[in-house]
Amino acid sequence: MRAASYSRRSDARGKRSDQRSVEEQDNLNLQVAQRNDWDLPPNRMYRDNDISASRYSSKERADWTRLHNTLVNGEIDVLILYETSRAWRKVYEWVPLVELCAENKVLIHVTSDRRTYDPNDDRDWETLLEDGIDSEKESRKISKRVRRAMDANKEQGKPHATPAYGYEIQIDPADHRTKIRVPVPEQAAIVKEVIRRVAQSDPITAIARDLNERGIPSPSVALGLNTEKRSKGKTPLWSPAMIRKMCKNVAYIGKREYVEDGRTIFADGTWEPIVDEELFWKARNLLSDPTRKTTKPGRNKYLLGFLGTCDVCGSYLARMGGRDPYRYRCNADKSCVTIRMDWTDMFIGELVCQRLAKKDIYELLTRQDDADKARVVELEALRADHTTALDLRAKGKLSLLALSQEEERLLPRIAELEQALRPVTIPKALEDLTRDAQGNLQTIRARWAALAIPAKRDVLRTLFKSISIKKTKTPGQHKTGEQVERMLIERVAFEWLNES
């Protein structure tokens, strides 16, 4: 007799006894030669191990498609299942399967029941359909319990999923029934180093390369993840993507991040933070800055490369090839302007140092304008309206529908204002330049000279609204320092942010 087996790993679920007579059942079992060793050929074994059969699963079930084709082609007489819920937990998929087996006169043997069902028998057909309904009902119950537990965990700040790199699960010494997440000292030190270096504008490619050269195990290796398919047998190394993911994971500051009503919520977690919160947000905001995308040409090798612009046509500046000393050139086809790179970089650097020597620099950078003050007033008013609506609902004076309508009106605008009013993030590189300098110009100059190009570019983005190069009015060689300075003052146009 031609048979096919479809199996899935799961705990068995009990099933009621059937009403068929013992004699009838014994005869049917004899027909399919019921025993423990079906001895089926490999091409008749179908498995979808660890793939859910419920409506909440999004994974493709490749072997189930193969089995369906086998049934359609009439290649088997018996379909063997561990239990009916292992086939489908969706009624609208289970019913067509039963009908397909009935049309092709395929028996369904369920090993957990030690029963064989004939879909063409009215009683068996009814039993199979009832089992399909029971399976989906159980799946829906499980889904509700899981969602309820996840919502409760969010509100209480409990962790979700596997621990991030830098943490491990341990038994709580105060309560041996509870598991907690604690930092792993060696991994936590790497997390701190990576986030600190990103915050001070070190290129993430350079950080990844350095960690690999030092032989630091990557998160995939340290966490023991199965990476055979992605790594093709090679040991997974640190990559820029890993570093970006690490610098955006709020678990490292002891928080959970989730979206509710279209807003991003940061809830305090129940585990110990690894990184200082201010340092973490500097790194995360730096990586989120749209002006810092690594897909732009130039790869942050030059101070004004694809940052400064041409005053004539507005195109970005790029390095001019084949010349020594190097020059910046308008990147447009016409090449409107060119200027020596070393002179220009030195001039911009001096502008920065002079600017940072002002003791009120932070007040200038973070001050609010009149528009921001108006936004603050509006935001507070909207928040007060929302709080009032919630209080009225709690007292039974506002219907659920009315509350929903109020939130549809209030919450999007609140989120918009909160985004517009987010605090200005000062790059760590800029803080390092001015820390304890007390306006000392020589100290700031020395620190500026020691900064890497990416860090300097982050400082420029914070201080300048624009930097552009004009056409020269006095072509020719500039031999003296005074001539060079006069030329740069004439040609380098700039506009400060928050001009005092």
Side-chain angles (χ1 to χ4, degrees):
M1 179 167 284
R2 302 170 301 170
S5 172
Y6 182 80
S7 65
R8 298 167 42 75
R9 285 186 225 151
S10 178
D11 296 330
R13 187 164 55 87
K15 184 183 288 189
R16 64 191 179 284
S17 61
D18 192 67
Q19 297 179 357
R20 179 188 288 127
S21 69
V22 175
E23 183 179 356
E24 288 176 324
Q25 181 61 48
D26 286 344
N27 289 336
L28 193 54
N29 285 342
L30 285 172
Q31 289 183 45
V32 298
Q34 182 182 19
R35 58 186 186 275
N36 293 329
D37 54 338
W38 288 93
D39 193 25
L40 298 172
N43 67 333
R44 286 292 181 263
M45 300 291 291
Y46 304 89
R47 295 183 178 88
D48 278 339
N49 291 339
D50 300 325
I51 301 178
S52 172
S54 77
R55 64 172 58 248
Y56 307 104
S57 173
S58 58
K59 292 185 179 179
E60 181 182 356
R61 304 173 67 192
D63 261 21
W64 184 259
T65 303
R66 287 205 308 122
L67 173 60
H68 181 273
N69 294 335
T70 301
L71 290 170
V72 171
N73 295 332
E75 298 176 16
I76 60 173
D77 301 312
V78 183
L79 172 62
I80 306 167
L81 302 174
Y82 173 63
E83 63 175 59
T84 54
S85 66
R86 296 302 90 210
W88 277 114
R89 286 192 170 187
K90 292 185 279 192
V91 172
Y92 65 85
E93 297 281 5
W94 172 246
V95 172
L97 172 68
V98 174
E99 294 298 330
L100 183 61
C101 289
E103 290 172 9
N104 292 277
K105 295 182 172 52
V106 176
L107 302 175
I108 299 177
H109 180 79
V110 183
T111 59
S112 61
D113 298 345
R114 292 183 289 185
R115 287 287 319 275
T116 303
Y117 297 91
D118 181 0
N120 285 301
D121 180 272
D122 292 345
R123 287 172 297 178
D124 283 2
W125 176 83
E126 181 183 10
T127 300
L128 289 169
L129 295 192
E130 287 178 353
D131 284 347
I133 293 173
D134 288 346
S135 297
E136 176 152 354
K137 181 180 178 182
E138 184 65 20
S139 175
R140 288 170 179 265
K141 285 182 178 179
I142 292 171
S143 176
K144 282 184 178 179
R145 286 197 294 268
V146 170
R147 288 201 303 267
R148 190 162 52 240
M150 290 179 65
D151 289 341
N153 287 344
K154 284 193 300 186
E155 293 176 1
Q156 297 168 21
K158 292 182 179 179
H160 176 65
T162 56
Y165 172 83
Y167 288 98
E168 66 179 0
I169 297 177
Q170 293 184 1
I171 302 297
D172 188 351
D175 183 0
H176 294 288
R177 297 172 299 177
T178 305
K179 294 180 179 180
I180 58 174
R181 300 189 180 196
V182 297
V184 180
E186 299 81 7
Q187 296 178 9
I190 298 299
V191 172
K192 290 179 182 178
E193 176 189 342
V194 167
I195 293 178
R196 174 184 56 78
R197 291 178 66 176
V198 171
Q200 65 187 23
S201 303
D202 285 8
I204 57 176
T205 51
I207 298 173
R209 183 169 57 251
D210 177 51
L211 293 172
N212 290 325
E213 289 174 353
R214 288 157 52 189
I216 306 296
S218 69
S220 302
V221 175
L223 296 174
L225 301 179
N226 184 359
T227 58
E228 289 186 12
K229 291 183 179 179
R230 288 180 295 174
S231 60
K232 298 180 180 178
K234 299 180 181 179
T235 302
L237 300 176
W238 285 90
S239 67
M242 290 180 184
I243 291 175
R244 284 182 175 276
K245 184 177 180 180
M246 179 178 291
C247 292
K248 293 183 178 182
N249 190 348
V250 296
Y252 294 123
I253 55 174
K255 293 185 181 294
R256 276 198 61 175
E257 180 178 3
Y258 59 92
V259 176
E260 189 172 281
D261 296 328
R263 293 184 300 163
T264 302
I265 307 296
F266 297 100
D268 291 333
T270 58
W271 58 92
E272 177 186 345
I274 288 178
V275 182
D276 174 72
E277 190 166 340
E278 183 179 358
L279 183 67
F280 171 83
W281 285 113
K282 288 185 183 298
R284 175 160 162 158
N285 291 339
L286 227 159
L287 291 179
S288 302
D289 184 354
T291 65
R292 205 173 178 271
K293 289 182 180 178
T294 57
T295 53
K296 286 183 178 179
R299 295 176 294 173
N300 291 348
K301 292 174 63 176
Y302 310 107
L303 187 63
L304 295 184
F306 292 88
L307 181 63
T309 59
C310 168
D311 187 66
V312 178
C313 69
S315 300
Y316 281 117
L317 301 177
R319 183 183 74 83
M320 183 177 180
R323 295 286 297 270
D324 189 18
Y326 287 160
R327 294 173 179 269
Y328 288 119
R329 182 183 66 181
C330 167
N331 201 41
D333 293 337
K334 295 181 180 180
S335 300
C336 311
V337 299
T338 61
I339 192 169
R340 268 187 59 160
M341 184 181 292
D342 54 348
W343 290 348
T344 308
D345 289 355
M346 184 171 57
F347 180 75
I348 294 295
E350 183 61 21
L351 287 176
V352 169
C353 294
Q354 294 280 356
R355 179 73 163 174
L356 295 182
K358 294 183 177 181
K359 295 184 179 180
D360 61 344
I361 183 64
Y362 285 103
E363 288 77 5
L364 290 173
L365 291 175
T366 59
R367 70 182 182 184
Q368 288 185 328
D369 57 23
D370 291 339
D372 281 344
K373 293 174 183 177
R375 292 189 187 102
V376 170
V377 173
E378 182 184 359
L379 178 60
E380 292 305 318
L382 293 176
R383 284 174 173 168
D385 288 347
H386 187 225
T387 302
T388 301
L390 293 175
D391 290 342
L392 291 173
R393 173 59 188 164
K395 295 174 182 177
K397 298 181 179 180
L398 191 68
S399 69
L400 187 59
L401 177 60
L403 175 62
S404 176
Q405 291 172 341
E406 274 295 281
E407 290 194 327
E408 285 182 9
R409 180 180 68 86
L410 296 172
L411 294 181
R413 180 56 178 165
I414 289 175
E416 181 183 335
L417 291 171
E418 287 175 341
Q419 176 69 15
L421 290 168
R422 66 180 182 179
V424 176
T425 301
I426 305 299
K428 189 173 186 302
L430 195 151
E431 285 187 346
D432 291 342
L433 282 171
T434 56
R435 186 184 61 252
D436 304 325
Q438 298 180 347
N440 187 301
L441 188 57
Q442 297 304 320
T443 300
I444 295 172
R445 283 172 176 162
R447 292 176 178 176
W448 172 261
L451 282 183
I453 292 296
K456 289 181 177 180
R457 288 168 62 90
D458 285 333
V459 172
L460 297 190
R461 291 190 189 96
T462 306
L463 294 179
F464 290 93
K465 183 179 292 185
S466 65
I467 301 175
S468 60
I469 304 300
K470 299 179 180 180
K471 270 186 172 294
T472 181
K473 295 180 180 178
T474 55
Q477 294 184 346
H478 305 280
K479 298 181 179 180
T480 67
E482 183 179 346
Q483 289 175 332
V484 170
E485 182 179 4
R486 191 162 51 245
M487 180 271 296
L488 292 170
I489 292 173
E490 172 191 302
R491 297 194 60 195
V492 179
F494 56 90
E495 185 178 357
W496 298 108
L497 280 169
N498 294 326
E499 185 72 66
S500 58

